[in-house]
Amino acid sequence: MTDFKDHKPETSTQKAYDRRQFIESAGKGIIAATVAGELLASGTASAQSTNIGSGPGPMSAAVKVEVPSQHAKSEGEQPAAPSILPKEKRVGYAIVGLGELTLGQIMEAFGACKNSKPVALVSGDAAKAQKVAQQYGISPKNIYNYQNYDNIKNNPEIDAVYIVLPNAMHEEFVVRAAKAGKHVLCEKPMTTSSKSAERMIDACKKAGKKLMVAYRIQYEPNNRQIKDFTRQQKYGKVKVITSVNVQNIGDPNQWRLKKALSGGGSLPDIGLYDINTNRYLLGEEPYMVNATTYTTPNDPRFKEVEEAVMFQMYFPSGAIANNTCSYGAHNSKHYRCYADNGGWFGMDPAFDYKGLMPEVGHVEGKVQNKSNPKLPEENQFALEIDHFSECVIENKTPYTPGEEGLQDQKIMEAIYESARTGKPVQLERIDKLDAFRGTPPKES
């Protein structure tokens, strides 16, 4: 059993952590050790922009190419050629952290982006950063480490940063980005405590910069379809949601299993998908949670954080969500909404990067129907990145701003408290729909 604390990891514990030895030791505050080698002989990276004065956008500058379809109308609606901003008009990103998610998903996603581009890298591993820069055509002058990260303020090519670091490092690098005058897209979970989330929001507001949490599920078309089924009561009013997100985690020395870096175990990493998806589908905020945790005795992976959490969320409409997350079971990710007028619907698999499959079951007279009304897949990371870029260009509030992340932090703290005390925990009652969301993303 674990709970969120408003803390910063102590330097004395850092040597025990892997993640490239605590990200090869990052910059200031939470990171105090020395990075392994300078990235550049000068130790700085104040690159000059090739498009000074032009800036990103506007969206009206997007170029669209019309191509006639070769298919008959009976073949269904075919994807249209996208409208894409010229390269020099796209929002330029510095990607902070070159771990598994960045190299496996995010860098690839920029190739599918329509108004975003990678222009800089921030890493504690000089050799890795140089290789990635070569792969994606990023200038060596635009490589930074965690000590000279603040120098991004001098680089007009960088409009925004994408923070992809261990959870406990998010606050420091979001705040430093805001002070450097850059907009911030931050991976989930937002941070390790609600107090930390509030400081991140305040720093970006003070700097006049946008902050968005990367809840990719809320930008994905098939999940949007399930949300519409829920909100429009296509099969009646949703009364119960079941949601499962489990996976068998590996190396006991990884940062996700170190409380000082992660803030918790399966809950903030994968249980957060249960929480945020429940809230997204219903548009409601829970007024109460009830939870229990479990950890297999003597499992070396779970010396500091919990293995599994089972929790319920109670919503003002009367809907109840029953959720499970675990780091100790074979990979399975799915959710289902049970309505009161002849139908259920959901996603199996859900939460994955690819291969999502909607599912519907409903009754028509004597007939029991099951179907998979799947929309064409799109790169989830590209969708969320482009939404943030559009918000930067058009000065709009992102659909999942910092306040959305803060609400999830408060809910997770309540879940941990319930598991610790063995009692339900009340949350502030909020009756407004989509209370913490901003401008909805455009349908692609």
Side-chain angles (χ1 to χ4, degrees):
M1 185 164 58
T2 183
D3 57 359
F4 277 108
K5 299 292 184 182
D6 186 29
H7 69 278
K8 293 187 178 180
E10 296 180 2
T11 305
S12 61
T13 64
Q14 293 172 354
K15 293 182 180 178
Y17 305 143
D18 192 18
R19 178 69 168 129
R20 252 334 257 200
Q21 277 302 309
F22 204 69
I23 306 297
E24 293 293 350
S25 302
K28 304 178 254 184
I30 165 176
I31 299 91
T34 305
V35 72
E38 291 295 328
L39 293 176
L40 301 172
S42 64
T44 63
S46 54
Q48 296 300 311
S49 172
T50 57
N51 58 320
I52 294 176
S54 61
M59 294 303 298
S60 59
V63 177
K64 185 174 180 64
V65 178
E66 299 289 349
V67 180
S69 175
Q70 61 177 310
H71 300 285
K73 290 183 179 180
S74 61
E75 299 301 291
E77 184 177 344
Q78 303 299 313
S83 297
I84 301 176
L85 281 174
K87 186 176 181 180
E88 68 275 8
K89 292 293 183 180
R90 298 176 202 169
V91 173
Y93 284 80
I95 297 87
V96 185
L98 301 182
E100 181 180 15
L101 183 64
T102 296
L103 299 185
Q105 303 297 330
I106 293 172
M107 294 306 298
E108 175 186 347
F110 275 103
C113 284
K114 302 175 180 65
N115 49 40
S116 316
K117 61 184 177 182
V119 298
L121 303 172
V122 183
S123 174
D125 187 328
K128 182 198 289 186
Q130 289 164 358
K131 289 180 180 178
V132 176
Q134 289 178 335
Q135 289 176 327
Y136 292 94
I138 294 172
S139 170
K141 296 185 298 181
N142 286 0
I143 298 176
Y144 300 81
N145 58 41
Y146 296 112
Q147 280 65 48
N148 65 25
Y149 171 68
D150 303 303
N151 291 339
I152 63 174
K153 67 182 179 182
N154 301 319
N155 190 338
E157 286 188 78
I158 300 171
D159 304 298
V161 300
Y162 191 163
I163 307 292
V164 199
L165 294 168
N167 309 339
M169 297 171 67
H170 289 179
E171 180 186 345
E172 177 188 343
F173 285 84
V174 166
V175 171
R176 290 171 70 182
K179 289 181 178 178
K182 308 301 179 182
H183 302 285
V184 185
L185 174 58
C186 181
E187 260 305 322
K188 47 63 56 187
M190 184 175 176
T191 182
T192 57
S193 76
S194 58
K195 293 295 184 183
S196 174
E198 289 170 352
R199 290 191 294 266
M200 294 162 71
I201 292 169
D202 290 344
C204 290
K205 285 185 176 179
K206 183 178 179 180
K209 297 300 171 182
K210 300 187 185 302
L211 172 61
M212 175 174 138
V213 183
Y215 289 118
R216 56 186 172 81
I217 294 299
Q218 298 198 37
Y219 300 94
E220 195 280 321
N222 288 284
N223 281 283
R224 183 188 297 128
Q225 178 181 228
I226 301 299
K227 180 204 71 172
D228 291 342
F229 289 171
T230 305
R231 306 284 186 98
Q232 297 166 12
Q233 299 190 9
K234 183 175 179 65
Y235 302 101
K237 183 179 180 181
V238 170
K239 293 299 191 72
V240 175
I241 300 175
T242 60
S243 183
V244 174
N245 197 356
V246 301
Q247 64 189 48
N248 201 6
I249 200 164
D251 182 9
N253 296 313
Q254 64 179 283
W255 69 264
R256 288 174 180 82
L257 299 174
K258 306 300 180 181
K259 185 178 178 182
L261 285 173
S262 62
S266 61
L267 183 64
D269 185 19
I270 55 178
L272 181 59
Y273 284 103
D274 297 326
I275 297 170
N276 193 260
T277 302
N278 291 170
R279 296 177 50 241
Y280 168 65
L281 297 177
L282 293 167
E284 301 179 51
E285 301 303 327
Y287 65 86
M288 185 173 68
V289 298
N290 189 38
T292 185
T293 62
Y294 177 78
T295 297
T296 302
N298 302 318
D299 190 319
R301 296 173 296 177
F302 307 119
K303 293 178 180 179
E304 299 183 24
V305 300
E306 83 284 346
E307 177 182 345
V309 187
M310 287 65 70
F311 60 98
Q312 293 80 42
M313 300 167 65
Y314 299 82
F315 293 89
S317 66
I320 301 172
N322 192 49
N323 306 285
T324 301
C325 61
S326 175
Y327 267 166
H330 179 64
N331 183 71
S332 183
K333 306 175 186 298
H334 55 86
Y335 67 81
R336 184 176 286 184
C337 303
Y338 298 89
D340 64 359
N341 190 19
W344 55 261
F345 50 93
M347 194 87 69
D348 188 4
F351 312 133
D352 285 330
Y353 304 138
K354 299 176 183 177
L356 304 185
M357 181 56 68
E359 55 176 9
V360 172
H362 65 101
V363 175
E364 291 182 357
K366 296 181 179 181
V367 178
Q368 297 276 348
N369 294 292
K370 287 189 177 181
S371 61
N372 299 104
K374 184 177 176 66
L375 294 169
E377 284 206 56
E378 297 186 56
N379 188 298
Q380 298 172 39
F381 291 94
L383 292 173
E384 71 179 9
I385 294 169
D386 270 348
H387 172 75
F388 187 57
S389 294
E390 184 177 319
C391 290
V392 168
I393 292 170
E394 298 190 341
N395 192 27
K396 299 186 295 189
T397 300
Y399 191 53
T400 55
E403 289 79 3
E404 175 80 349
L406 170 59
Q407 176 67 358
D408 279 340
Q409 295 292 154
K410 291 179 178 179
I411 294 170
M412 285 191 286
E413 289 171 351
I415 289 170
Y416 278 132
E417 182 183 349
S418 176
R420 179 179 60 82
T421 62
K423 299 178 181 179
V425 172
Q426 299 284 332
L427 291 154
E428 177 187 0
R429 187 161 184 129
I430 299 169
D431 293 316
K432 179 183 177 182
L433 289 180
D434 296 314
F436 303 104
R437 297 185 180 93
T439 307
K442 294 179 180 177
E443 293 194 24
S444 54

